[in-house]
């Protein structure tokens, strides 16, 4: 029955892929397995133990967070729940040094003063359980309602700041964000969640998870989201009778669905992810006809991932992975080709399709008492990097139909060397070879000094690159032309990190950084024909400070205070970048009520003014969100209620080059109520209790 449901959901993914999924599920259902290590609840340990908490994403092997050659933040499932985060974008906007902007279609990540509007999130690498999520056409990824995971199935998020190309290759520019999902043992049965929110928004989720006596563990989860959005949005730039007096009606709808499957047996793990999202665009971007609900985008993203891990008796740990990915984008844009007041509407279709497969092999082991060596290789074959543009009606006209393929491979090596009891040297280097532009080498070096038991000082240097995306290299459409001679962007970052634990309840961390970004790929206007083209033009220089204080269990209260001071400028003009706030601050507090059965979560955030792409400025703003979480509403049920933008602050984000609007107004006050009901299996409870585990 489960297999049939999966088949129906993925019926458009192809016969070969469906067959592969069926074989893997069938095989997993019949093999025995040993019990796996229980997931640790990070909110129940003293804060001073976080220094010894093991993280994976910084070095591709488990190590103490204090020994990792990076500045790291960890967001737990408990924090996500207590603060009522609705999307992955909500999670990221509450990480020190990161910020998110929204143009009423997509959400974009900014980091360390760099947040070009509309850059498709191609300069931060996002992983799901180590699987690269950035696609092979735009090299970007989605983080809003189009993110392929429901936040309720996230166990924790590891944010590793700074360049990561020495381990991960392209896109690991400003940070690597690894989303680690929950295991089936967390559910031990079924869980159903239903949410209702402002503006006709509804969300539903059904998750089924279990770990069998044989050791086989499985989690299946499906989510659906539907929102009518704002019924009326006013844009003064279109305030004329022929454009409905600047009012976009019923043009803000958003609909998304996702499916997640994770099956593990002993040393083998299989994962499948699929999501689809369709969003109407009310802003008339790219010069489209205002107030036409047919203008919209649809994005689909999915993958299959098989991972094998094995610990050899001689000390070597093996990780190998094989995967198949697919990305589809379709945009319908309505244009008015008339030169009179009488509209002559044309439906233009813009599309992309990416398909790729690849694999990686990694070996890691301690060498004696001083070294920990990691070596690995990766390969990816992009057998479809296709994109095109055409008018569909009233008359068909083809602008472009480009079909590409490419490949890239890599080798990397890293060594963690203990110079003494208090001093660690971490060094690594990676070589990537691309069929499009050739090779690139990226090193990293870190010196980690622990002068006292609860104090760590890290001196870090890293070099990273971002390969030019297929969209930037080859896209051809009305007003746009390709540039196949683009070179990679590069960044050099130096950073000093200091971390101190003050007893069992306080943690203080601070960092100072400087980076130099060269050969930035920017869209320019060619003076010869006034068409847009991507070129390696700008050089960016930036410096900043990041500061974070974390408290846990202080009078029962958990809290996190973060502040970032950042300044990023164009080297040629010495001017600040657009969409680059100088100050970012956030305060998260979770307060227990009624003997811990209810939690009050408060999120306060501030962002200073930002420059727009046309040279103007947005105002700074202060936002407040509040969430009440009752975990014992009645047996097996919990209730969460949240109010967002509590004081109904009017604020805006900078628009990008494709918008007529200089700034785009953001959401006012809104609410959400979520009811979650668990359906524990008696058999699972009995098994868990017999083994001393929480059901």
């Amino acid at each position: 029955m489960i297999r049939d449901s999966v088949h129906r959901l993925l019926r458009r993914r192809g016969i070969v892929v469906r067959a592969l999924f069926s074989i893997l599920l069938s095989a997993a259902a019949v093999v025995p397995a040993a019990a796996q290590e229980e997931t640790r609840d990070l909110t129940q340990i003293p804060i001073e133990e976080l220094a010894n908490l093991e993280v994976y994403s910084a070095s591709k092997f488990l190590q103490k967070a204090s020994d990792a050659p990076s500045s790291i933040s960890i967001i737990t499932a408990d924090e996500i729940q207590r603060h009522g985060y609705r999307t992955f974008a909500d999670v990221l906007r509450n990480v020190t040094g990161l910020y998110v902007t929204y143009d009423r279609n997509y959400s974009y990540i900014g980091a360390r003063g760099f947040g070009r509007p509309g850059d498709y999130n191609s300069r931060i690498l996002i992983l799901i359980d180590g699987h690269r999520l950035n696609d092979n056409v735009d090299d970007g990824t989605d983080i809003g309602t189009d993110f392929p995971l429901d936040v309720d199935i996230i166990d924790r998020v590891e944010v590793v700041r700074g360049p990561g190309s020495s381990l991960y290759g392209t896109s690991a520019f400003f940070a690597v964000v690894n989303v680690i999902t929950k295991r089936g043992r967390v559910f031990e049965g079924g869980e159903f969640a239903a949410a209702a929110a402002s503006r006709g928004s509804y969300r539903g989720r059904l998750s089924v998870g279990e770990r069998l006596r044989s050791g086989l563990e499985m989690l299946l989860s499906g989510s659906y989201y539907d929102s009518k959005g704002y019924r009326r949005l006013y844009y003064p730039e279109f305030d004329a009778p022929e454009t409905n007096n600047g009012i976009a009606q019923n043009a803000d709808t958003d609909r998304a669905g996702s499916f997640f499957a994770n099956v593990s047996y002993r040393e083998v793990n299989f994962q499948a992810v699929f999501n689809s999202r369709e969003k109407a665009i009310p802003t008339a971007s790219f010069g489209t006809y205002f107030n036409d609900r047919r203008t919209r985008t649809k994005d689909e993203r999915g993958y299959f991932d098989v991972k094998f891990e094995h610990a050899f008796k001689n000390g070597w740990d093996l990780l190998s992975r094989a995967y198949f990915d697919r990305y589809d984008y379709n945009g319908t844009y309505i244009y008015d080709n008339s030169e009179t007041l009488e509209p002559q509407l044309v439906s233009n279709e813009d599309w992309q399709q990416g398909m790729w497969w690849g694999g990686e092999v990694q070996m890691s082991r301690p060498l004696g008492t001083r070294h920990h060596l990691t070596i690995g290789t990766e390969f990816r074959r992009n057998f479809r990097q296709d994109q095109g543009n055409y008018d569909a009606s009233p008359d068909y006209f083809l602008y472009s139909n480009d079909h590409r393929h490419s490949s890239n491979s890599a080798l990397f090596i890293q060594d963690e060397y203990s110079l003494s009891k208090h001093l660690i040297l971490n060094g690594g280097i990676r070589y990537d070879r691309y069929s499009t532009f050739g090779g690139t080498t990226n090193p990293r070096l870190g010196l980690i000094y622990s002068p006292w038991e609860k104090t760590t000082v890290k001196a870090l240097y890293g070099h990273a690159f971002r390969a030019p995306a297929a969209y930037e290299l080859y896209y051809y459409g009305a007003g746009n032309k390709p540039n196949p001679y683009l070179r990679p962007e590069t960044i050099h970052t130096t950073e000093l990190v200091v971390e101190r634990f003050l007893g069992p309840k306080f943690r203080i961390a601070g960092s100072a950084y400087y980076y130099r970004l060269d050969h930035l790929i920017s869209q320019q206007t060619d003076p010869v024909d006034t068409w847009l083209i991507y070129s390696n033009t700008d050089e960016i220089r930036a410096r900043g400070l990041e500061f974070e204080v974390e408290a846990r269990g202080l009078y029962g209260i958990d809290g996190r205070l973060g502040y970032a001071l950042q300044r990023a400028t164009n080297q040629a003009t010495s001017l600040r970048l657009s969409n680059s706030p100088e100050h970012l601050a956030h305060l998260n507090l979770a307060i227990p009520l009624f003997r811990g059965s209810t939690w009050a979560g408060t999120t306060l955030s501030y962002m200073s003014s930002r420059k727009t792409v046309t040279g103007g400025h947005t105002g700074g703003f202060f936002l407040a969100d509040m969430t009440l979480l009752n975990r014992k509403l009645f047996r097996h049920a919990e209730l969460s209620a949240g109010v967002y933008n509590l004081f109904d602050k009017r604020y805006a984000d900078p628009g990008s080059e494709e918008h007529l609007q200089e700034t785009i107004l953001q959401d006012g006050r809104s609410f959400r109520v979520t009811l979650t009901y668990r359906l524990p299996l008696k058999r699972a409870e009995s098994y868990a209790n017999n083994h001393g585990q929480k059901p």
Side-chain angles (χ1 to χ4, degrees):
M1 182 170 131
I2 293 175
R3 194 184 303 123
D4 292 338
S5 300
V6 173
H7 281 176
R8 286 195 297 271
L9 181 64
L10 303 178
R11 60 184 178 275
R12 297 197 305 168
R13 300 297 82 182
I15 296 175
V16 174
V17 173
R18 291 200 305 268
L20 174 62
F21 189 61
S22 299
I23 292 170
L24 286 168
L25 278 182
S26 300
V30 298
V31 291
Q36 301 181 16
E37 182 182 355
E38 186 177 4
T39 302
R40 194 176 188 187
D41 185 353
L42 301 181
T43 65
Q44 301 302 315
I45 63 175
I47 198 168
E48 63 182 356
E49 290 189 24
L50 290 178
N52 298 318
L53 179 69
E54 291 188 327
V55 296
Y56 177 83
S57 310
S59 298
K60 281 196 172 183
F61 67 86
L62 287 175
Q63 63 182 157
K64 293 194 301 182
S66 58
D67 292 343
S70 304
S71 170
I72 300 175
S73 289
I74 300 175
I75 309 299
T76 67
D78 201 70
E79 290 179 81
I80 292 172
Q81 191 177 33
R82 289 178 184 176
H83 294 290
Y85 298 153
R86 298 158 294 180
T87 65
F88 188 53
D90 286 345
V91 177
L92 295 179
R93 77 173 79 246
N94 285 282
V95 175
T96 303
L98 301 185
Y99 57 103
V100 175
T101 57
Y102 177 54
D103 65 1
R104 307 222 69 85
N105 188 18
Y106 297 111
S107 296
Y108 307 97
I109 314 170
R112 294 188 163 179
F114 189 98
R116 287 283 177 94
D119 72 349
Y120 302 110
N121 300 323
S122 59
R123 295 175 178 89
I124 288 183
L125 177 62
I126 295 183
L127 312 169
I128 296 179
D129 293 326
H131 182 100
R132 176 184 291 267
L133 202 59
N134 299 55
D135 65 70
N136 73 338
V137 181
D138 295 318
D139 199 27
T141 187
D142 301 318
I143 62 170
T145 57
D146 40 11
F147 187 67
L149 291 181
D150 192 301
V151 293
D152 287 342
I153 62 173
I154 295 176
D155 178 67
R156 69 183 186 275
V157 179
E158 295 180 357
V159 180
V160 181
R161 299 177 185 85
S165 288
S166 64
L167 285 174
Y168 294 97
T170 185
S171 299
F173 216 64
F174 290 108
V176 174
V177 180
N178 191 13
V179 181
I180 300 171
T181 60
K182 293 179 180 178
R183 309 298 298 271
R185 73 193 74 173
V186 174
F187 296 89
E188 290 292 4
E191 184 174 278
F192 173 75
S198 301
R199 304 175 191 101
S201 303
Y202 300 92
R203 183 187 298 271
R205 174 180 59 86
L206 178 62
S207 303
V208 179
E210 188 180 5
R211 181 172 58 174
L212 303 178
R213 289 184 175 87
S214 63
L216 174 69
E217 189 165 12
M218 179 183 296
L219 172 60
L220 303 177
S221 184
S223 299
Y224 180 77
Y225 172 76
D226 183 74
S227 175
K228 298 185 184 305
Y230 278 91
R231 301 297 180 94
R232 294 165 61 90
L233 285 167
Y234 173 67
Y235 296 104
E237 295 82 0
F238 295 94
D239 195 344
E242 61 270 19
T243 51
N244 199 36
N245 299 310
I247 299 174
Q249 293 180 301
N250 300 317
D252 193 37
T253 58
D254 192 352
R255 182 176 298 171
S258 64
F259 172 77
F260 174 80
N262 198 80
V263 181
S264 60
Y265 162 64
R266 291 186 178 176
E267 299 168 318
V268 179
N269 180 264
F270 169 75
Q271 192 171 98
V273 169
F274 172 76
N275 80 291
S276 176
R277 184 251 199 172
E278 186 172 357
K279 178 67 175 67
I281 307 174
T283 56
S285 55
F286 299 102
T288 53
Y289 186 67
F290 185 76
N291 192 36
D292 194 307
R293 286 174 287 176
R294 292 175 294 173
T295 296
R296 60 187 57 235
T297 56
K298 183 176 182 180
D299 297 85
E300 293 184 352
R301 181 73 170 89
Y303 67 80
F304 297 97
D305 183 291
V306 179
K307 182 173 63 176
F308 174 75
E309 296 179 272
H310 180 73
F312 292 96
K313 293 182 179 180
N314 61 3
W316 283 102
D317 292 329
L318 167 69
L319 182 149
S320 60
R321 181 194 305 270
Y323 55 82
F324 169 83
D325 285 63
R326 177 165 177 162
Y327 166 69
D328 287 278
Y329 153 81
N330 288 277
T332 298
Y333 299 93
I334 306 301
Y335 289 92
D336 180 12
N337 284 356
S338 174
E339 297 181 357
T340 66
L341 293 179
E342 186 67 27
Q344 181 182 344
L345 300 184
V346 174
S347 178
N348 178 265
E349 299 292 327
D350 196 52
W351 63 272
Q352 298 174 348
Q353 184 179 82
M355 298 178 71
W356 63 102
W357 64 267
E360 63 175 299
V361 178
Q362 174 186 311
M363 301 287 289
S364 178
R365 68 160 295 176
L367 298 178
T369 59
R370 292 180 174 267
H371 292 270
H372 193 124
L373 181 67
T374 303
I375 57 175
T377 181
E378 295 183 25
F379 175 79
R380 186 168 80 172
R381 174 65 177 174
N382 302 297
F383 60 92
R384 296 196 74 168
Q385 291 175 294
D386 303 342
Q387 49 192 332
N389 187 281
Y390 63 93
D391 288 340
S393 64
D395 298 313
Y396 177 83
F397 185 84
L398 180 65
Y399 293 99
S400 65
N401 185 21
D402 188 77
H403 297 266
R404 301 281 173 171
H405 57 82
S406 66
S407 62
N408 59 277
S409 56
L411 293 169
F412 67 86
I413 182 170
Q414 177 182 265
D415 184 32
E416 181 183 271
Y417 177 48
S418 297
L419 297 171
S420 69
K421 181 180 179 181
H422 303 286
L423 189 62
I424 296 174
L425 177 65
N426 188 298
I429 191 168
R430 171 169 165 145
Y431 176 76
D432 288 79
R433 182 75 183 178
Y434 280 74
S435 60
T436 51
F437 65 83
T440 175
T441 303
N442 295 271
R444 178 177 75 172
L445 189 66
L447 193 64
I448 297 95
Y449 177 53
S450 301
W452 303 285
E453 182 183 357
K454 299 178 182 179
T455 302
T456 303
V457 180
K458 304 177 183 181
L460 309 172
Y461 168 79
H463 182 276
F465 78 102
R466 184 181 76 88
Y471 175 78
E472 297 163 333
L473 289 165
Y474 308 120
Y475 181 76
Y476 178 86
N480 294 269
K481 62 181 182 180
N483 182 3
Y485 302 106
L486 288 173
R487 294 175 294 161
E489 301 174 345
T490 59
I491 189 171
H492 303 258
T493 301
T494 55
E495 184 173 4
L496 180 68
V497 180
V498 180
E499 187 176 64
R500 170 71 175 168
F501 288 83
L502 304 175
K505 297 180 180 181
F506 280 99
R507 168 185 169 268
I508 299 176
S511 65
Y513 63 84
Y514 170 81
Y515 66 78
R516 186 180 83 240
L517 197 166
D518 298 320
H519 314 302
L520 179 68
I521 299 174
S522 295
Q523 199 172 51
Q524 307 289 324
T525 300
D526 191 329
V528 177
D529 52 19
T530 70
W531 282 40
L532 295 174
I533 185 171
Y534 284 97
S535 303
N536 293 103
T537 55
D538 297 332
E539 296 182 358
I540 308 300
R541 302 294 183 265
R543 58 181 57 88
L545 299 171
E546 293 170 346
F547 181 74
E548 191 170 75
V549 178
E550 189 175 1
R552 180 168 299 170
L554 183 64
Y555 303 107
I557 299 173
D558 294 345
R560 187 196 303 259
L561 171 66
Y563 170 73
L565 172 65
Q566 50 197 20
R567 184 172 180 84
T569 59
N570 187 304
Q571 179 73 357
T573 64
S574 298
L575 297 176
R576 286 177 54 189
L577 302 182
S578 61
N579 192 33
S580 179
E582 189 170 357
H583 303 278
L584 292 169
H586 67 88
L587 173 64
N588 298 336
L589 291 175
I591 305 170
L593 306 173
F594 309 115
R595 297 183 179 179
S597 63
T598 302
W599 285 82
T602 300
T603 300
L604 308 176
S605 59
Y606 171 77
M607 183 184 295
S608 62
S609 65
R610 290 164 288 170
K611 182 181 176 182
T612 67
V613 295
T614 56
H617 288 83
T618 67
F621 60 88
F622 168 85
L623 298 178
D625 302 334
M626 181 168 288
T627 301
L628 286 175
L629 172 66
N630 186 308
R631 287 177 165 162
K632 297 180 180 179
L633 181 65
F634 52 87
R635 190 181 183 189
H636 306 312
E638 65 181 34
L639 182 69
S640 173
V643 181
Y644 305 89
N645 193 356
L646 180 64
F647 301 110
D648 201 21
K649 174 66 177 179
R650 185 179 176 88
Y651 71 104
D653 285 337
S656 53
E657 285 83 356
E658 64 262 25
H659 295 105
L660 182 61
Q661 301 93 329
E662 183 179 28
T663 62
I664 298 175
L665 192 66
Q666 299 300 296
D667 289 351
R669 184 188 298 116
S670 62
F671 72 89
R672 184 187 68 159
V673 177
T674 304
L675 176 66
T676 303
Y677 186 76
R678 295 182 177 85
L679 302 169
L681 299 178
K682 292 183 179 180
R683 178 169 56 85
E685 288 181 348
S686 175
Y687 172 68
N689 290 334
N690 289 338
H691 286 73
Q693 301 167 6
K694 295 181 180 180

